[in-house]
Amino acid sequence: MRRNRDFRRFVWANGVTQMGTQVTTVALPLTAVLTLDAGAFQLGLLSAAQVAAFLLLGLPAGVWVDRARRRPILIWSDVVRGLALLTVPVAAWLGVLGLPQLFAVALILGLGTVFFDVAHMSFLPAVVPREGLERGNGTLEVTRQVSLLAGPGLGGWLVNLLTAPIALLADAASYLLSALLLSGVRATETPGRGDGRLRRQVAEGVGFVVRDRVLRRIAVGGALVMTANGVISVALPLYLIRELGVSAAQYGLLLSASAVGSLVGALLVGRVTARFGTGRTLYGSAVLATLLYLPALATGPGWRLLLFPLASLLFGAASVMFGVTQLSYRQRVTPEHLLGRVNASMRFLMWGAGPVGGLAGGVLGEWLGAHAAFAVGAAVLGLSHLAVVTSPRIRTLATVG
């Protein structure tokens, strides 16, 4: 891996863009809350806008990714997202920034992310050999978790120093730098040949997922995770900042806690799968993820605030081991000409639930309050892996060569 120049550039591009994305995770909702005084329902709309593209274009994106070379898709997705984010600080400087522009930027970010994520997962087997997929995915996950560890804290610090809209410049710059790094990757790709019938090609990808008992259950669990994340993304800043008085910098540090455990999980997943195999790793990490997030339900003022980062840390380690293992399994068992469509189908089935979660978080926040909405999201997140836990046969799943 260290001698693979293309993989090194691929990893650096991933790390740069992930760092910027974590800044936006903090700065975008805080722009709405602190600069534009958004309420719970408006935050719910903003959260839904960021993932709506997965629901609207997730399946066709897989067909287009399978028909074209994936590297140009990655580059243009980065460029479009970077330019969209640049409009926020410019509008803030001019004094014309409003919620409609934030919603539009969130939609564009989601659109770029749809194509980037599907192409990114489908491009990796062209960069590394298939027997190195766990290690390749593990390395990419390490860079992502390092970004998750440092990014929210950096985002909170930048918001305190520069204001939330100006902090988004960091993410805009990261997307453009990622595009530059990816332009130097020279992995060989062979675009697929579509027969022009979009519906049929979409159905091939969805059908592959539905017929595979492992992917089917992973998709169900992933949909619950995204629903819960949508609720939490709305309720958490309102609860911690407005009700508990947490500062923007402290908020960023609390979000960073999950990355500590996730980084440990990413570093260990290769060794764990080598020792226990794909099936036992999938099943065991799902069991741990189910149990370890439930303490977050008791989050509150005083010392109880520490329960949130503690639960996030433990859950992060288990869920990352689960995520890397299931992605490597998917990349290995899927034929190359179907890889884009299968990845898109999984993203659609899982991330398509995100808008539902965002809107539900907004409604619950207005109806029950931020604390109750957070508790609902935490409960759903803690139970999201039951779809895998209730299938003990997955433990016997052999590593596919």
Side-chain angles (χ1 to χ4, degrees):
M1 291 292 186
R2 294 189 183 94
R3 293 191 293 270
N4 187 330
R5 174 185 173 277
D6 287 335
F7 182 66
R8 290 201 308 271
R9 294 185 72 96
F10 196 60
V11 169
W12 275 105
N14 180 69
V16 166
T17 193
Q18 290 291 345
M19 181 68 76
T21 297
Q22 296 313 311
V23 172
T24 293
T25 298
V26 174
L28 192 62
L30 291 188
T31 298
V33 172
L34 300 178
T35 304
L36 302 175
D37 198 30
F41 185 69
Q42 291 166 318
L43 272 184
L45 290 176
L46 184 64
S47 174
Q50 289 181 268
V51 289
F54 285 94
L55 186 59
L56 299 174
L57 291 175
L59 292 176
V63 176
W64 294 325
V65 166
D66 276 342
R67 290 179 177 179
R69 292 172 60 235
R70 288 146 187 170
R71 185 174 68 96
I73 295 174
L74 294 172
I75 293 170
W76 281 108
S77 296
D78 273 341
V79 170
V80 168
R81 289 184 292 177
L83 294 178
L85 277 173
L86 280 175
T87 68
V88 176
V90 169
W93 283 330
L94 297 176
V96 296
L97 180 64
L99 282 171
Q101 180 179 347
L102 282 191
F103 294 149
V105 169
L107 283 169
I108 294 171
L109 290 178
L111 179 63
T113 301
V114 166
F115 284 94
F116 184 91
D117 284 0
V118 174
H120 194 266
M121 291 182 289
S122 305
F123 187 52
L124 181 63
V127 179
V128 301
R130 292 208 169 219
E131 62 271 17
L133 285 174
E134 276 88 0
R135 188 171 179 184
N137 282 314
T139 302
L140 292 172
E141 189 63 30
V142 167
T143 64
R144 191 173 82 89
Q145 296 307 326
V146 169
S147 302
L148 281 167
L149 181 61
L154 174 62
W157 179 76
L158 288 174
V159 168
N160 274 347
L161 181 67
L162 303 173
T163 74
I166 309 305
L168 292 172
L169 279 172
D171 195 12
S174 75
Y175 281 129
L176 299 178
L177 179 56
S178 173
L180 181 63
L181 288 167
L182 288 169
S183 66
V185 176
R186 295 289 179 256
T188 302
E189 296 185 81
T190 305
R193 294 183 178 181
D195 61 3
R197 288 169 285 187
L198 181 64
R199 183 177 300 179
R200 177 179 175 182
Q201 290 191 292
V202 166
E204 289 178 350
V206 174
F208 188 91
V209 172
V210 171
R211 289 189 299 271
D212 189 293
R213 63 184 175 90
V214 178
L215 295 182
R216 186 170 63 243
R217 285 180 174 268
I218 289 170
V220 172
L224 291 174
V225 167
M226 291 307 301
T227 301
N229 283 339
V231 174
I232 291 172
S233 70
V234 174
L236 192 62
L238 294 174
Y239 178 50
L240 295 184
I241 292 175
R242 287 189 175 173
E243 296 189 17
L244 298 185
V246 171
S247 70
Q250 291 171 327
Y251 176 71
L253 289 175
L254 288 172
L255 291 186
S256 298
S258 66
V260 176
S262 299
L263 180 59
V264 172
L267 290 169
L268 293 178
V269 65
R271 297 177 185 177
V272 172
T273 54
R275 179 173 180 178
F276 296 105
T278 299
R280 288 183 179 180
T281 302
L282 275 176
Y283 190 82
S285 57
V287 171
L288 290 174
T290 300
L291 298 174
L292 295 177
Y293 196 72
L294 295 180
L297 285 166
T299 299
W303 68 268
R304 289 166 54 201
L305 182 62
L306 297 176
L307 292 174
F308 172 73
L310 176 62
S312 298
L313 184 150
L314 297 173
F315 178 82
S319 62
V320 161
M321 283 197 285
F322 179 85
V324 170
T325 305
Q326 66 88 11
L327 176 57
S328 300
Y329 168 83
R330 187 199 321 166
Q331 290 170 329
R332 186 175 285 113
V333 301
T334 304
E336 200 278 336
H337 71 280
L338 276 176
L339 199 50
R341 280 168 282 173
V342 169
N343 284 328
S345 298
M346 292 292 287
R347 271 293 199 248
F348 171 80
L349 295 170
M350 293 188 291
W351 286 60
V356 177
L359 294 175
V363 172
L364 289 171
E366 294 284 355
W367 180 33
L368 301 176
H371 183 205
F374 167 72
V376 171
V380 175
L381 185 60
L383 299 174
S384 58
H385 289 80
L386 283 177
V388 172
V389 173
T390 53
S391 177
R393 289 188 302 168
I394 289 179
R395 285 181 298 183
T396 63
L397 182 71
T399 300
V400 181

